[in-house]
PDB file of all heavy atoms in Angstrom:
ATOM      1  N   VAL K 967      -1.046  13.814 -17.929  1.00 98.00           N
ATOM      2  CA  VAL K 967      -0.936  14.705 -16.774  1.00 98.00           C
ATOM      3  C   VAL K 967       0.107  15.770 -17.122  1.00 98.00           C
ATOM      4  O   VAL K 967       1.248  15.434 -17.464  1.00 98.00           O
ATOM      5  CB  VAL K 967      -0.517  13.944 -15.501  1.00 98.00           C
ATOM      6  CG1 VAL K 967      -0.481  14.894 -14.301  1.00 98.00           C
ATOM      7  CG2 VAL K 967      -1.466  12.775 -15.233  1.00 98.00           C
ATOM      8  N   PHE K 968      -0.268  17.026 -17.031  1.00 98.00           N
ATOM      9  CA  PHE K 968       0.611  18.137 -17.388  1.00 98.00           C
ATOM     10  C   PHE K 968       1.251  18.735 -16.141  1.00 98.00           C
ATOM     11  O   PHE K 968       0.626  18.797 -15.074  1.00 98.00           O
ATOM     12  CB  PHE K 968      -0.172  19.217 -18.140  1.00 98.00           C
ATOM     13  CG  PHE K 968      -0.671  18.768 -19.485  1.00 98.00           C
ATOM     14  CD1 PHE K 968      -1.809  17.984 -19.590  1.00 98.00           C
ATOM     15  CD2 PHE K 968       0.012  19.104 -20.645  1.00 98.00           C
ATOM     16  CE1 PHE K 968      -2.266  17.544 -20.832  1.00 98.00           C
ATOM     17  CE2 PHE K 968      -0.427  18.678 -21.884  1.00 98.00           C
ATOM     18  CZ  PHE K 968      -1.571  17.903 -21.976  1.00 98.00           C
ATOM     19  N   VAL K 969       2.483  19.215 -16.296  1.00 98.00           N
ATOM     20  CA  VAL K 969       3.233  19.745 -15.152  1.00 98.00           C
ATOM     21  C   VAL K 969       2.969  21.230 -14.907  1.00 98.00           C
ATOM     22  O   VAL K 969       3.662  21.861 -14.118  1.00 98.00           O
ATOM     23  CB  VAL K 969       4.753  19.511 -15.323  1.00 98.00           C
ATOM     24  CG1 VAL K 969       5.070  18.036 -15.390  1.00 98.00           C
ATOM     25  CG2 VAL K 969       5.291  20.252 -16.547  1.00 98.00           C
ATOM     26  N   GLY K 970       1.959  21.791 -15.555  1.00 98.00           N
ATOM     27  CA  GLY K 970       1.610  23.195 -15.346  1.00 98.00           C
ATOM     28  C   GLY K 970       2.205  24.116 -16.389  1.00 98.00           C
ATOM     29  O   GLY K 970       2.920  23.702 -17.300  1.00 98.00           O
ATOM     30  N   ASP K 971       1.892  25.413 -16.245  1.00 98.00           N
ATOM     31  CA  ASP K 971       2.259  26.414 -17.254  1.00 98.00           C
ATOM     32  C   ASP K 971       1.698  26.044 -18.619  1.00 98.00           C
ATOM     33  O   ASP K 971       2.399  26.008 -19.625  1.00 98.00           O
ATOM     34  CB  ASP K 971       3.774  26.625 -17.312  1.00 98.00           C
ATOM     35  CG  ASP K 971       4.278  27.600 -16.258  1.00 98.00           C
ATOM     36  OD1 ASP K 971       3.472  28.007 -15.391  1.00 98.00           O
ATOM     37  OD2 ASP K 971       5.461  27.962 -16.294  1.00 98.00           O
ATOM     38  N   LEU K 972       0.385  25.788 -18.642  1.00 98.00           N
ATOM     39  CA  LEU K 972      -0.309  25.650 -19.918  1.00 98.00           C
ATOM     40  C   LEU K 972      -0.370  26.991 -20.641  1.00 98.00           C
ATOM     41  O   LEU K 972      -0.496  27.023 -21.870  1.00 98.00           O
ATOM     42  CB  LEU K 972      -1.738  25.150 -19.686  1.00 98.00           C
ATOM     43  CG  LEU K 972      -1.921  23.757 -19.076  1.00 98.00           C
ATOM     44  CD1 LEU K 972      -3.403  23.494 -18.836  1.00 98.00           C
ATOM     45  CD2 LEU K 972      -1.334  22.685 -19.986  1.00 98.00           C
ATOM     46  N   VAL K 973      -0.258  28.086 -19.893  1.00 98.00           N
ATOM     47  CA  VAL K 973      -0.571  29.416 -20.433  1.00 98.00           C
ATOM     48  C   VAL K 973       0.633  30.355 -20.423  1.00 98.00           C
ATOM     49  O   VAL K 973       1.662  30.066 -19.833  1.00 98.00           O
ATOM     50  CB  VAL K 973      -1.708  30.066 -19.615  1.00 98.00           C
ATOM     51  CG1 VAL K 973      -2.967  29.209 -19.648  1.00 98.00           C
ATOM     52  CG2 VAL K 973      -1.274  30.317 -18.174  1.00 98.00           C
ATOM     53  N   ARG K 974       0.442  31.480 -21.122  1.00 97.00           N
ATOM     54  CA  ARG K 974       1.350  32.615 -21.201  1.00 97.00           C
ATOM     55  C   ARG K 974       2.552  32.329 -22.107  1.00 97.00           C
ATOM     56  O   ARG K 974       2.986  31.229 -22.276  1.00 97.00           O
ATOM     57  CB  ARG K 974       1.826  33.110 -19.827  1.00 97.00           C
ATOM     58  CG  ARG K 974       0.697  33.574 -18.922  1.00 97.00           C
ATOM     59  CD  ARG K 974       1.222  34.310 -17.712  1.00 97.00           C
ATOM     60  NE  ARG K 974       1.791  35.602 -18.079  1.00 97.00           N
ATOM     61  CZ  ARG K 974       2.993  36.014 -17.713  1.00 97.00           C
ATOM     62  NH1 ARG K 974       3.768  35.234 -16.981  1.00 97.00           N
ATOM     63  NH2 ARG K 974       3.434  37.194 -18.089  1.00 97.00           N
ATOM     64  N   LYS K 975       3.021  33.394 -22.717  1.00 97.00           N
ATOM     65  CA  LYS K 975       4.206  33.454 -23.579  1.00 97.00           C
ATOM     66  C   LYS K 975       3.931  33.002 -25.010  1.00 97.00           C
ATOM     67  O   LYS K 975       4.389  33.620 -25.960  1.00 97.00           O
ATOM     68  CB  LYS K 975       5.385  32.681 -22.985  1.00 97.00           C
ATOM     69  CG  LYS K 975       5.802  33.172 -21.601  1.00 97.00           C
ATOM     70  CD  LYS K 975       7.015  32.440 -21.074  1.00 97.00           C
ATOM     71  CE  LYS K 975       7.389  32.945 -19.682  1.00 97.00           C
ATOM     72  NZ  LYS K 975       8.573  32.243 -19.142  1.00 97.00           N
ATOM     73  N   GLY K 976       3.215  31.900 -25.195  1.00 96.00           N
ATOM     74  CA  GLY K 976       2.916  31.407 -26.527  1.00 96.00           C
ATOM     75  C   GLY K 976       1.676  32.057 -27.130  1.00 96.00           C
ATOM     76  O   GLY K 976       1.037  32.911 -26.518  1.00 96.00           O
ATOM     77  N   PRO K 977       1.282  31.629 -28.340  1.00 96.00           N
ATOM     78  CA  PRO K 977       0.279  32.356 -29.115  1.00 96.00           C
ATOM     79  C   PRO K 977      -1.174  32.096 -28.737  1.00 96.00           C
ATOM     80  O   PRO K 977      -2.039  32.901 -29.089  1.00 96.00           O
ATOM     81  CB  PRO K 977       0.536  31.881 -30.549  1.00 96.00           C
ATOM     82  CG  PRO K 977       1.100  30.501 -30.387  1.00 96.00           C
ATOM     83  CD  PRO K 977       1.931  30.556 -29.133  1.00 96.00           C
ATOM     84  N   ASP K 978      -1.504  30.984 -28.057  1.00 97.00           N
ATOM     85  CA  ASP K 978      -2.924  30.667 -27.881  1.00 97.00           C
ATOM     86  C   ASP K 978      -3.160  29.961 -26.548  1.00 97.00           C
ATOM     87  O   ASP K 978      -3.418  28.760 -26.497  1.00 97.00           O
ATOM     88  CB  ASP K 978      -3.417  29.802 -29.042  1.00 97.00           C
ATOM     89  CG  ASP K 978      -4.936  29.822 -29.191  1.00 97.00           C
ATOM     90  OD1 ASP K 978      -5.618  30.233 -28.224  1.00 97.00           O
ATOM     91  OD2 ASP K 978      -5.429  29.426 -30.261  1.00 97.00           O
ATOM     92  N   SER K 979      -3.099  30.732 -25.475  1.00 98.00           N
ATOM     93  CA  SER K 979      -3.307  30.169 -24.134  1.00 98.00           C
ATOM     94  C   SER K 979      -4.723  29.630 -23.972  1.00 98.00           C
ATOM     95  O   SER K 979      -4.935  28.595 -23.329  1.00 98.00           O
ATOM     96  CB  SER K 979      -3.030  31.234 -23.072  1.00 98.00           C
ATOM     97  OG  SER K 979      -1.659  31.549 -23.015  1.00 98.00           O
TER      98      SER K 979
END
Side-chain angles (χ1 to χ4, degrees):
V967 183
F968 294 79
V969 298
D971 277 7
L972 296 176
V973 301
R974 300 192 69 231
K975 302 183 181 180
D978 199 343
S979 291

